[in-house]
């Protein structure tokens, strides 16, 4: 901790943090929040979109450190186990197993009972409206916010079909301000997906290397076949190749869907921030991390911490001097 932070009282009630969307890159939010806390910066206002809503919910409910230990232990077999795949319901993954995973490691809480002010962003599928989820069941809010179109099935709440909040507000700065934040720290996870020359920085690596994919193909297909039935058994190689890519140079369906959406979200983020910029923007460098590589949490968390260290001078200037 620097002398400036050590010797300064920080009014955290004035500070909000906007945690952005970005699939597996969202584990970086854990490192960001922990590194900020070590400086004495513990935002009272938390707004999250998609994976940012999930991590933000654990932070707002004082369960971040416990959640970090779970994330670091995740392996590829765990990821496969939580894929409740289906060709019905508007998405490849129903998402109920993921909610159950979160439920196992988080308490059943009401948003308004949390020790911090929390809200998640979702999108009304039919009206396109941005929906701010600031009350009700915490798990329900997170499930709605992470419903990435094409991958996770939408969820119905209050007679509305809700999908991923990143479609309309990938980094919810404006929501933070509406919740009362005077200083907003924003964390954007998609800024380095496309470089200045317009080339995609992502290496198209599927959620496991070819070797790992082959080793786990049997387990993965067992999970898929339970949902889709025996009629697909003869087509398993084709289906797996299309989902995850035949080789390191061939993106699969999951990577194409998620990658395209996150490139779109980066453009939306730039546009929205031009009109409502945060006071501090943190941008972890995660282009080397596949969008579905949830088993690489340690690397993402470490980059989240490193990102805060890089921005320490700006944090000192804004937090201490404002």
């Amino acid at each position: 901790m620097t002398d400036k932070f050590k010797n300064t009282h920080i009014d955290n009630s004035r500070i909000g943090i906007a945690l952005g969307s970005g699939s597996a890159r969202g584990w970086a939010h854990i490192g960001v929040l922990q590194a900020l806390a070590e400086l004495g910066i513990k935002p009272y206002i938390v707004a999250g979109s998609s994976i940012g809503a999930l991590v933000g919910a654990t932070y707002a409910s004082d369960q971040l450190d416990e959640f970090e230990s779970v994330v670091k232990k995740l392996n590829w077999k765990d990821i496969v186990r939580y894929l409740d795949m289906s060709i019905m319901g508007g998405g490849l993954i129903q998402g109920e197993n993921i909610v159950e995973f979160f439920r196992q490691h988080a308490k059943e809480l009401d948003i308004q009972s949390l020790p911090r002010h929390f809200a998640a962003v979702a999108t009304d599928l039919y009206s396109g409206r941005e929906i701010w989820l600031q009350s009700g069941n915490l798990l329900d809010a997170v499930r709605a916010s992470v419903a990435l179109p094409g991958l996770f099935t939408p969820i119905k709440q209050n007679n509305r079909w809700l999908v991923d909040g990143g479609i309309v507000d990938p980094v919810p700065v404006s929501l933070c301000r509406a919740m009362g934040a005077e200083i907003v720290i924003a964390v954007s996870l998609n800024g380095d997906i496309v470089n200045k020359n317009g080339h995609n920085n992502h290496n198209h690596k599927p959620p496991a290397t070819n070797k790992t994919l082959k080793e786990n193909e049997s387990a993965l297909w067992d999970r898929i076949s339970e949902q889709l039935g025996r009629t697909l058994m003869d087509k398993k190689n084709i289906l797996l190749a299309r989902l995850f890519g035949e080789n390191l140079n061939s993106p699969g369906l999951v990577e194409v869907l998620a990658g395209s959406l996150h490139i779109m979200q980066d453009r939306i983020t730039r546009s929205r921030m031009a009109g409502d910029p945060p006071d501090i923007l943190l941008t972890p460098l995660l282009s080397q991390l596949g969008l579905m590589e949830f088993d690489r949490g340690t690397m993402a968390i470490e980059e989240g911490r490193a990102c805060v260290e890089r921005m320490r001078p700006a944090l000192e200037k804004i937090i201490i001097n404002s």
Side-chain angles (χ1 to χ4, degrees):
M1 189 181 291
T2 67
D3 289 339
K4 287 185 179 181
F5 281 109
K6 183 184 295 184
N7 300 321
T8 302
H9 170 72
I10 298 174
D11 184 1
N12 286 299
S13 66
R14 303 170 57 228
I15 302 174
I17 189 160
L19 302 175
S21 60
S23 296
R25 293 169 184 157
W27 296 152
H29 290 317
I30 298 172
V32 166
L33 289 163
Q34 290 177 330
L36 288 174
E38 290 168 6
L39 296 175
I41 304 170
K42 302 176 182 180
Y44 173 71
I45 296 169
V46 186
S49 187
S50 195
I51 189 71
L54 191 156
V55 177
T58 66
Y59 169 73
S61 57
D62 286 334
Q63 299 176 84
L64 185 67
D65 290 341
E66 293 86 346
F67 192 64
E68 177 204 19
S69 65
V70 173
V71 167
K72 285 185 172 181
K73 293 175 183 176
L74 283 175
N75 57 44
W76 179 239
K77 290 183 179 180
D78 294 324
I79 307 304
V80 169
R81 185 156 43 92
Y82 289 111
L83 295 180
D84 46 351
M85 302 193 72
S86 172
I87 58 175
M88 307 298 290
L92 289 172
I93 301 167
Q94 295 180 56
E96 298 310 313
N97 286 355
I98 294 174
V99 172
E100 182 58 31
F101 160 75
F102 186 52
R103 181 177 287 109
Q104 290 172 4
H105 305 287
K107 300 173 184 176
E108 285 279 1
L109 297 170
D110 187 272
I111 291 174
Q112 293 174 305
S113 72
L114 300 178
R116 294 181 177 84
H117 198 181
F118 172 80
V121 181
T123 305
D124 188 312
L125 180 62
Y126 292 108
S127 72
R129 290 182 55 201
E130 179 177 338
I131 306 298
W132 293 350
L133 303 172
Q134 303 180 75
S135 62
N137 184 272
L138 181 63
L139 291 176
D140 288 345
V142 169
R143 172 64 179 87
S145 189
V146 302
L148 195 66
L151 293 181
F152 294 96
T153 57
I155 185 168
K156 193 173 186 179
Q157 291 186 16
N158 299 323
N159 295 317
R160 298 178 301 204
W161 284 102
L162 302 180
V163 293
D164 196 294
I167 296 174
V168 289
D169 197 358
V171 186
V173 174
S174 58
L175 175 53
C176 259
R177 297 203 191 281
M179 294 165 68
E182 298 175 28
I183 299 172
V184 176
I185 301 170
V187 186
S188 177
L189 303 173
N190 300 314
D192 63 337
I193 289 180
V194 178
N195 64 25
K196 294 180 180 179
N197 296 320
H199 299 300
N200 194 328
N201 280 336
H202 183 50
N203 58 17
H204 297 306
K205 192 166 76 69
T209 62
N210 271 7
K211 179 180 179 181
T212 305
L213 184 59
K214 289 178 180 178
E215 291 173 350
N216 292 284
E217 180 179 347
S218 177
L220 175 59
W221 185 247
D222 286 344
R223 190 67 188 163
I224 294 175
S225 62
E226 288 176 9
Q227 304 296 328
L228 304 186
R230 296 180 178 277
T231 57
L232 294 176
M233 285 299 291
D234 293 337
K235 299 181 180 180
K236 67 175 184 178
N237 293 327
I238 296 174
L239 179 59
L240 287 170
R242 289 179 178 176
L243 284 175
F244 298 114
E246 294 178 356
N247 53 59
L248 294 180
N249 297 313
S250 175
L253 175 61
V254 170
E255 285 295 295
V256 171
L257 282 173
S260 299
L261 284 166
H262 286 97
I263 290 170
M264 175 195 72
Q265 289 170 3
D266 175 54
R267 297 301 185 259
I268 295 172
T269 299
R270 293 170 189 263
S271 176
R272 292 197 63 141
M273 284 189 181
D276 188 8
D279 298 281
I280 300 168
L281 178 61
L282 303 177
T283 54
L285 304 177
L286 295 164
S287 63
Q288 76 278 21
L289 180 63
L291 289 165
M292 303 302 290
E293 291 184 302
F294 290 98
D295 55 328
R296 298 181 67 192
T298 298
M299 185 271 282
I301 291 169
E302 289 175 354
E303 173 53 25
R305 285 181 166 275
C307 176
V308 171
E309 182 63 28
R310 291 193 297 269
M311 293 298 291
R312 184 177 292 192
L315 289 164
E316 291 179 349
K317 181 179 179 180
I318 299 296
I319 302 296
I320 295 177
N321 298 331
S322 62

